[in-house]
Structures are given as structure tokens and as C-alpha cells.
Amino acid sequence: PREVRERLDLELLDGDTSGCVQSYLALGTLTPEQTGILRACRDELRALPAIGREAADYFARLERLATLVLERVDRRRPHGLG
């Protein structure tokens, strides 16, 4: 059913985003592949349809974390890459 699929998509989005953020916090950097995954997740988080308030607050915070990590990764990456 659609509700189950949407819940699984949110769980995957949460897991992928959290995993990349945790990797960055542990290592201070992301691989190009992780950076691409985090960018895709951040874009999906920005485009989430209306969801319950509690979930919306959580995913808004998750999007902000992704954005902060990507800003730091971009500052460290030589121009023209990523």
C-alpha cells in the first residue's frame, strides 16, 4: 500500500541522511559518493510533501544538518569538484 511505501521511503531517507552525517562527524570528510548521496537526500528533504507536525519538525532538522555538512564539505573541496 501507498502508506507503507511512503513510510519506508522516509525511513530510507532518514537512514541515508543520518549515515552520511554520522560519517562526516566521525571522519571530518565525506567520499564523493557519500556527498552525492547526501545532496540527493537533502534535495528530497526539501521537497517533502506535507506530513504530520512532529515528523515535519524532525525532517526539517535533518535537512538542516545535511545542509550544514554539505556546506563544510564544499568549503574543503577544491573548486570544480563535487
Side-chain angles (χ1 to χ4, degrees):
R2 181 177 180 194
E3 291 172 355
V4 171
R5 186 176 72 246
E6 288 173 354
R7 186 176 67 242
L8 290 176
D9 290 346
L10 289 177
E11 289 175 9
L12 289 173
L13 182 59
D14 179 31
D16 288 349
T17 304
S18 298
C20 289
V21 169
Q22 287 175 353
S23 290
Y24 178 81
L25 292 174
L27 303 173
T29 190
L30 294 176
T31 66
E33 181 181 6
Q34 289 171 315
T35 301
I37 290 168
L38 189 57
R39 280 190 205 291
C41 289
R42 192 255 331 258
D43 293 345
E44 285 187 49
L45 287 164
R46 287 181 173 172
L48 276 180
I51 53 179
R53 174 137 175 92
E54 185 175 321
D57 289 345
Y58 173 80
F59 284 101
R61 287 190 304 273
L62 194 60
E63 185 270 325
R64 181 68 181 136
L65 277 173
T67 297
L68 291 170
V69 168
L70 288 168
E71 287 171 354
R72 296 198 76 177
V73 167
D74 288 344
R75 280 198 302 263
R76 291 183 178 183
R77 186 161 305 200
H79 293 289
L81 296 178

